[in-house]
Amino acid sequence: MTATLRLVDVPTISSTRRALSELSLSVARSKRVVVVTGAGISCSCGIPDFRSSDGLYNLVKQQYPDVVLKGRDLFDASLFRDGTSTSVFYTFISKLKQSIDVAEPSATHRFIKTLDTKKKLLRSYTQNIDGLEERVGLMGSSSSGAKTVGKGKAKIRTKDVRNVQLHGDIHSVRCMSCSAEYTCMGDHLAMFLQGLAPDCPECASRLEARVARSARAIRVGTLRPAIVLYDEPHPLGDDIGAIQTADMSRKPDLLIIMGTSLKVHGLRKMVKEFAKTVHASSSSVPSTTKSKQGGIVIFVNKTPPASEWNDIIDYHVEGDTDTWVEKVIDDWKKWRPADWEVQQTLVSGDGDVSMSGGFKTEKKISTPKGKNKLKASKKLDPSEENLPPDFADMVLSTPDAIAARKKSAAPPLSPSKRGQCASHYNDVESSPSKRRVSPLKGQLKADERKALFTETTNSGFVDHNEIRDLSMQDIEDEIAKLKSRVFTGNAGIKPRKASTRAIPVGKTRKVDERTRTRSRAQPATHRVG
């Protein structure tokens, strides 16, 4: 059963005052709020209504006295079937757009933005076409910034949309042929005021291109306000349905309905689905205000809801929406002041409030337990007590001092950035196995090497596998001496005379194969000594 709370009874009836305070506390404690709004939240913004003596209907009748149209007929898709009703519609929309341009957001619009700032707003759904929610910082679904840019049909970025415009936006115009959208400008309003529709620039450019290549001409469409009329499909209907499904899956815990009579069929269906989800979800609302298990549904309007909403709406707050939201904010600040604390911003001496000024943060590196334990602090000498500090050892934390310390005590470079050399270690820091060895260590002098390889103690023994240093003598003399030793004692064999032809540097003379064979065939008895 719906409980009715009248705002006018707050000063006189304590029970009403207490119940409204508990509702304010439930708003403050909620975490995922869904807000549904209608034309009632914009009545205090300076936008004239439709049915009063100075309303928009009477202004239109002054220009078209012979036309009889009801209020619903001006927002019905069937008006485009007749040229006169279409002209009346364009004139009406032009005057409405001029009134909206000079209007200012109300307290209710700012309240919805406050919920978003406090990270409590799950999403806002509105029937209004005035776009005042975007002026307070809530990006709408019809905004160009919320749509993807690319080929094909534009899609909505769900995460960026904070306010879903169920009936479109009056600040945009759309082509009736190619569906191209543009921002509504002054020249568009001037033609709408005369009951005329401007041509679509996209269709005109395509027509010109086709005529230039001798192709068949196409029809040029006209621009109309990008609002959704009765019995007309929404251009973004699929995207809005996906957003609603995603919001219900996140289990909202509070539903607030403000400024609407809930007579549009599509809106009634959406509200019932959200209310069912809210009642089924767990909530942090005080138990004294919960008529059911789960979250609550609050309806704020001057007129009561129909009887079909008795089991759906928990509380009907009768009165103006601006008055109720102001009371909610006052009670919120009173009962939960911590939610309204603002972190102070540090300001440097030159007035710089950014973090790039004189204030800096340093990251502390924690040492794991059991590794690199900190050494005990050095004990002070009792004789050094109460001595004035040495200013040379003091460390200043000013930006200039920090920069100077960084320059003077630069960290050691990594091995990959050190100077290139034979080793990454020097002879002092490295271990003995990694120290560099001088290239001259262990080598013999030239004269010692000559004596070693030329003055043998056993001249009779010849080892053909030994390594000889031929760089110290002429190669021809060595070959002649070798042959004379080998053939000593063989009287019947006369050694071949060595050739005296000079051998070019870098080439080795080939020894006669027969001489090499006879040298290997000599028995061991011919050795000398």
Side-chain angles (χ1 to χ4, degrees):
M1 189 67 181
T2 303
T4 302
L5 303 174
R6 301 176 59 188
L7 291 175
V8 294
D9 297 336
V10 172
T12 57
I13 303 177
S14 60
S15 59
T16 302
R17 182 169 57 252
R18 190 182 314 110
L20 288 173
S21 298
E22 290 176 352
L23 283 183
S24 302
L25 186 59
S26 68
V27 174
R29 289 182 175 180
S30 61
K31 297 180 180 179
R32 297 173 297 276
V33 184
V34 174
V35 180
V36 178
T37 58
I41 70 170
S42 300
C43 292
S44 61
C45 300
I47 301 175
D49 59 9
F50 296 160
R51 298 176 178 83
S52 61
S53 59
D54 56 347
L56 295 176
Y57 287 159
N58 290 332
L59 295 177
V60 173
K61 286 182 179 181
Q62 294 176 7
Q63 187 170 350
Y64 302 94
D66 298 334
V67 177
V68 179
L69 288 176
K70 296 180 181 180
R72 179 184 173 88
D73 295 338
L74 284 175
F75 292 97
D76 196 287
S78 61
L79 61 86
F80 290 109
R81 299 174 184 174
D82 181 68
T84 303
S85 60
T86 303
S87 299
V88 174
F89 170 71
Y90 287 150
T91 303
F92 174 78
I93 291 297
S94 177
K95 292 184 178 295
L96 179 60
K97 173 69 165 58
Q98 293 173 0
S99 301
I100 292 174
D101 289 341
V102 297
E104 294 294 335
S106 65
T108 305
H109 295 99
R110 292 189 290 270
F111 169 74
I112 301 174
K113 175 58 179 177
T114 300
L115 294 177
D116 184 58
T117 304
K118 300 298 182 182
K119 307 299 181 182
K120 296 180 178 294
L121 181 66
L122 181 58
R123 199 89 60 182
S124 171
Y125 294 81
T126 183
Q127 294 177 281
N128 299 336
I129 60 175
D130 49 30
L132 294 178
E133 291 86 0
E134 192 160 0
R135 292 193 194 179
V136 296
L138 297 173
M139 180 174 289
S141 56
S142 299
S143 174
S144 58
K147 298 178 181 178
T148 58
V149 180
K151 296 183 179 180
K153 184 180 178 181
K155 294 184 178 181
I156 299 177
R157 293 196 295 266
T158 304
K159 296 182 180 180
D160 297 336
V161 174
R162 307 305 302 146
N163 180 55
V164 178
Q165 296 169 291
L166 300 174
H167 293 166
D169 190 0
I170 199 174
H171 301 286
S172 301
V173 292
R174 183 176 68 249
C175 178
M176 301 181 66
S177 296
C178 67
S179 299
E181 287 195 10
Y182 302 93
T183 303
C184 186
M185 308 299 292
D187 54 348
H188 299 148
L189 289 179
M191 296 194 68
F192 287 151
L193 188 59
Q194 300 174 9
L196 303 176
D199 293 336
C200 174
E202 178 67 19
C203 293
S205 62
R206 291 172 57 189
L207 173 62
E208 183 179 355
R210 291 179 65 88
V211 171
R213 64 175 184 266
S214 300
R216 180 177 59 86
I218 60 173
R219 176 179 175 270
V220 176
T222 57
L223 299 178
R224 52 157 287 188
I227 62 177
V228 182
L229 304 177
Y230 293 114
D231 299 328
E232 185 179 34
H234 200 297
L236 302 175
D238 295 339
D239 295 328
I240 292 178
I243 293 176
Q244 179 186 350
T245 303
D247 290 344
M248 287 192 298
S249 65
R250 297 178 63 182
K251 298 180 180 181
D253 55 6
L254 180 63
L255 174 61
I256 302 176
I257 310 164
M258 296 185 290
T260 177
S261 57
L262 298 176
K263 292 183 178 180
V264 180
H265 173 71
L267 182 69
R268 289 206 310 266
K269 182 180 179 181
M270 185 187 70
V271 169
K272 289 180 180 179
E273 292 176 353
F274 270 122
K276 183 179 179 180
T277 305
V278 168
H279 287 153
S281 65
S282 59
S283 175
S284 58
V285 178
S287 59
T288 57
T289 64
K290 289 198 292 186
S291 59
K292 303 177 182 179
Q293 296 296 329
I296 61 175
V297 179
I298 303 174
F299 178 74
V300 184
N301 200 36
K302 292 181 179 180
T303 58
S307 58
E308 64 174 315
W309 299 99
N310 287 340
D311 296 333
I312 300 174
I313 296 176
D314 299 321
Y315 294 93
H316 167 223
V317 179
E318 183 179 337
D320 183 63
T321 59
D322 291 345
T323 305
W324 180 72
V325 298
E326 289 174 354
K327 177 174 175 50
V328 172
I329 295 297
D330 293 340
D331 294 340
W332 190 350
K333 293 180 179 179
K334 178 181 177 181
W335 294 105
R336 297 173 67 92
D339 294 346
W340 299 88
E341 293 179 357
V342 180
Q343 183 177 1
Q344 300 294 331
T345 303
L346 296 177
V347 181
S348 61
D350 56 356
D352 185 12
V353 297
S354 62
M355 294 305 296
S356 60
F359 302 98
K360 295 183 178 179
T361 58
E362 296 182 1
K363 183 178 179 181
K364 296 182 179 180
I365 302 176
S366 58
T367 304
K369 295 182 179 180
K371 295 181 180 181
N372 299 332
K373 294 183 178 179
L374 298 177
K375 296 181 180 180
S377 59
K378 182 181 179 180
K379 295 183 179 180
L380 297 176
D381 190 357
S383 61
E384 297 180 357
E385 284 187 337
N386 300 329
L387 294 178
D390 187 1
F391 292 98
D393 297 335
M394 294 182 66
V395 178
L396 300 179
S397 61
T398 60
D400 297 338
I402 294 175
R405 289 202 303 272
K406 289 182 178 180
K407 291 182 179 180
S408 60
L413 297 176
S414 61
S416 61
K417 295 183 179 180
R418 293 173 184 167
Q420 299 297 327
C421 58
S423 174
H424 290 303
Y425 306 93
N426 54 35
D427 295 340
V428 178
E429 297 178 356
S430 60
S431 61
S433 61
K434 295 183 179 180
R435 292 177 183 173
R436 288 178 290 184
V437 180
S438 175
L440 300 178
K441 185 176 180 180
Q443 294 187 3
L444 298 177
K445 297 181 180 181
D447 54 351
E448 295 179 358
R449 293 175 64 232
K450 179 179 179 180
L452 176 64
F453 288 101
T454 58
E455 299 176 3
T456 58
T457 57
N458 192 0
S459 59
F461 176 76
V462 178
D463 190 357
H464 299 284
N465 296 325
E466 66 177 347
I467 300 175
R468 302 179 63 84
D469 187 2
L470 304 180
S471 62
M472 306 302 299
Q473 294 182 357
D474 184 59
I475 187 172
E476 295 181 356
D477 297 340
E478 288 293 328
I479 294 175
K481 291 181 180 180
L482 179 61
K483 290 181 179 181
S484 62
R485 295 194 193 101
V486 171
F487 294 103
T488 303
N490 295 336
I493 301 175
K494 186 177 181 179
R496 291 170 58 89
K497 184 178 180 180
S499 175
T500 58
R501 183 173 59 87
I503 300 176
V505 178
K507 295 185 179 180
T508 306
R509 181 182 176 187
K510 295 183 180 180
V511 183
D512 187 13
E513 192 66 26
R514 293 175 299 175
T515 305
R516 184 179 299 172
T517 304
R518 286 195 297 269
S519 299
R520 292 196 188 108
Q522 297 299 323
T525 56
H526 295 284
R527 296 178 182 175
V528 180

